[in-house]
Amino acid sequence: MENFNFCIGTNIVFGKDEIAQLPALVKPFGCKVLLTYGGGSIKRIGLYDRVKELLSDCEVYELSGIAPNPKLESVEAGAKICKEHGIDVIVAVGGGSVIDCSKGIAAAALYDGEPWDIINRKAEITQALPIIAVPTMAATGSEMDAGAVVSNPATKEKVSFFSPHILPKASILDPTYTFTVSAYQTASGCADILSHLWEQYFVAKSTFMSDMLVESVIKTIIHYAPIALAEPENYEARAQLLWGSNIADNATLCNGNGLCVFGVHAMEHELSAYYDIAHGVGLAILTPHWMRYVLKKSPETVTARFAHYGRAVWGLEDADETALAQKAIQATDDFLHSLNIPMTLKEVGIGEEHFKEMAAHCVATEQTAYSWVPLDENDVESIFKMCL
Ligand code: NZQ
Ligand code: ZN
């Protein structure tokens, strides 16, 4: 087991109607609040009115219209409001895009230069406004991690940035708010959660405990995703997915493992940077093809691991390890197909015209170079082509 430092400072408040705790969670940070949200789903589910009522003693400013794959312009607009009005705390209500954008705003609000410098890691984040998050879908786990992703459409870049300063101070997770998430976004979110788990599991060095933890959360998502799709208001299913998304992406499960670099995520961020597709859908399209590609490219590295995954997660057996690894890939592919989301790039309107530059961009992030099976530009372009 490797040495590690693990300090998660987010106070998680989980369960139905726990939004009532919002004023108490906000108060220690001040009374000037920036409320951030997306395209209106929080108004349709009554959450906007409830939050405004709960914050009626505060001076509340708003930034709405934060788009999926949040854009730099929203970070800039939010930072401007914070600076002009001396905002004390940000309350982010929505999906991962709203929470990520709010993280950018929180850091940019206390930075004198251009917000993009912070996002593309030119400038280190040394401070940020406190964030209270209220996630309304199960996917990214942004409400309890120290990372965020923001896009710059002008340069076709989608960039991840990290800092302990942007970790939300508290997050309120009420599964009932996720009842209205569409089947498409529910499936996309589940594919994202699974991808976070796979990216931590398909690594060179993991521990027994980490493997057991990740396998159990993968099985939980596989069990409950179809239930949530069939019965959108099934509380237990939505609760398991929401908590699963939370613990899937903040190192809880992989502490003590060796290097873990999210290589498939790096490839997906090119797809959503160029074509603005749903992140989880991009991951669902890429993952089975990436598995097939690395099995062929580096069988000595991946065969035993994929075979182990087939046994532990899918209950598969085969005397031949390669055959078992292939069966595990097929089971993964079949499950993602069963979620009824696009499984080819053509279905989401992506052709091969930008593959070369996307592959170059992707490799420049260095994520693929340090991932389990290092990938160069040709590898990434080949995987994109397999996904057509
Ligand atoms: O904008 P509104 O109207 O709120 O609608 C949203 C949006 O259209 C809708 N939605 C959210 N909650 C809803 C709802 N609709 C009905 N009822 C509800 N309760 O869902 C749509 C998608 O929302 P979005 O926030 O974009 O989805 P998600 O949570 O999947 O976030 C995706 C973004 O997070 C990044 C992705 O790259 C992408 O930009 N990621 C962030 C990570 C992190 N911070 O750690 C890690 C991830 O790997 C990922 O990269
Ligand atoms: Zn993800």
Side-chain angles (χ1 to χ4, degrees):
M1 193 152 176
E2 303 283 313
N3 294 358
F4 63 87
N5 179 287
F6 186 58
C7 175
I8 287 283
T10 304
N11 176 6
I12 295 291
V13 180
F14 191 98
K16 190 171 174 348
D17 297 331
E18 292 293 349
I19 193 74
Q21 297 202 36
L22 184 64
L25 293 169
V26 166
K27 215 173 168 186
F29 301 106
C31 64
K32 282 194 177 182
V33 175
L34 175 66
L35 170 63
T36 54
Y37 55 99
S41 69
I42 71 159
K43 290 193 171 166
R44 290 191 290 280
I45 65 177
L47 181 54
Y48 171 84
D49 288 341
R50 181 79 176 114
V51 166
K52 288 295 289 262
E53 178 197 330
L54 287 164
L55 296 179
S56 58
D57 287 342
C58 300
E59 198 176 322
V60 180
Y61 297 83
E62 293 186 19
L63 178 76
S64 61
I66 297 172
N69 301 316
K71 314 295 182 281
L72 173 62
E73 62 177 354
S74 289
V75 174
E76 291 170 341
K80 191 163 176 268
I81 298 172
C82 292
K83 285 178 175 173
E84 275 174 14
H85 300 285
I87 295 293
D88 298 315
V89 49
I90 300 175
V91 174
V93 186
S97 294
V98 169
I99 302 171
D100 280 8
C101 181
S102 304
K103 290 175 174 177
I105 294 169
L110 301 183
Y111 174 68
D112 281 337
E114 291 297 318
W116 186 242
D117 294 348
I118 281 188
I119 292 159
N120 75 5
R121 306 190 211 172
K122 243 189 222 160
E124 195 192 341
I125 298 174
T126 55
Q127 52 181 342
L129 290 175
I131 300 169
I132 310 290
V134 184
T136 59
M137 58 182 281
T140 65
S142 183
E143 61 275 10
M144 196 176 45
D145 73 28
V149 193
V150 168
S151 297
N152 184 348
T155 56
K156 292 192 163 68
E157 286 171 282
K158 182 172 179 178
V159 182
S160 312
F161 56 103
F162 303 88
S163 164
H165 298 288
I166 57 173
L167 186 73
K169 300 291 182 208
S171 290
I172 302 172
L173 282 67
D174 181 337
T176 65
Y177 297 146
T178 68
F179 285 177
T180 51
V181 178
S182 67
Y184 189 87
Q185 288 294 343
T186 299
S188 172
C190 289
D192 188 23
I193 304 168
L194 286 169
S195 178
H196 297 157
L197 296 161
W198 290 323
E199 300 252 40
Q200 290 170 71
Y201 190 76
F202 298 135
V203 289
K205 206 170 164 196
S206 66
T207 66
F208 183 86
M209 190 195 291
S210 172
D211 280 359
M212 300 295 273
L213 289 169
V214 174
E215 285 159 14
S216 65
V217 185
I218 293 176
K219 285 182 184 176
T220 303
I221 305 305
I222 288 168
H223 179 74
Y224 280 107
I227 298 175
L229 286 169
E231 303 164 36
E233 301 200 6
N234 183 313
Y235 183 88
E236 193 57 25
R238 292 294 194 180
Q240 297 271 332
L241 295 179
L242 191 55
W243 183 232
S245 71
N246 222 259
I247 57 171
D249 196 23
N250 66 5
T252 305
L253 308 177
C254 68
N255 281 317
N257 286 357
L259 185 67
C260 169
V261 179
F262 279 29
V264 180
H265 269 65
M267 290 189 277
E268 195 297 311
H269 286 167
E270 295 307 320
L271 301 179
S272 44
Y274 275 69
Y275 295 95
D276 219 354
I277 64 168
H279 170 63
V281 169
L283 294 167
I285 295 170
L286 284 164
T287 301
H289 292 297
W290 166 80
M291 292 177 84
R292 288 189 187 99
Y293 189 86
V294 294
L295 181 61
K296 208 165 168 195
K297 180 182 161 86
S298 298
E300 65 293 346
T301 307
V302 309
T303 307
R305 191 68 177 153
F306 283 169
H308 174 82
Y309 160 72
R311 265 185 226 104
V313 170
W314 299 103
L316 300 168
E317 272 309 335
D318 200 298
D320 179 65
E321 290 279 283
T322 302
L324 184 51
Q326 285 163 342
K327 281 184 183 174
I329 297 172
Q330 196 52 49
T332 305
D333 199 342
D334 291 346
F335 178 77
L336 291 166
H337 257 106
S338 76
L339 298 179
N340 208 16
I341 39 174
M343 289 297 290
T344 63
L345 291 180
K346 281 204 184 83
E347 287 169 83
V348 291
I350 300 180
E352 57 186 304
E353 54 279 7
H354 297 300
F355 281 176
K356 271 204 185 313
E357 61 191 88
M358 288 159 67
H361 246 165
C362 177
V363 169
T365 67
E366 296 189 346
Q367 265 172 275
T368 45
Y370 292 102
S371 54
W372 185 39
V373 176
L375 301 174
D376 63 20
E377 276 181 47
N378 285 333
D379 296 321
V380 173
E381 192 184 348
S382 301
I383 294 168
F384 285 154
K385 283 186 178 162
M386 288 168 77
C387 294
L388 280 168

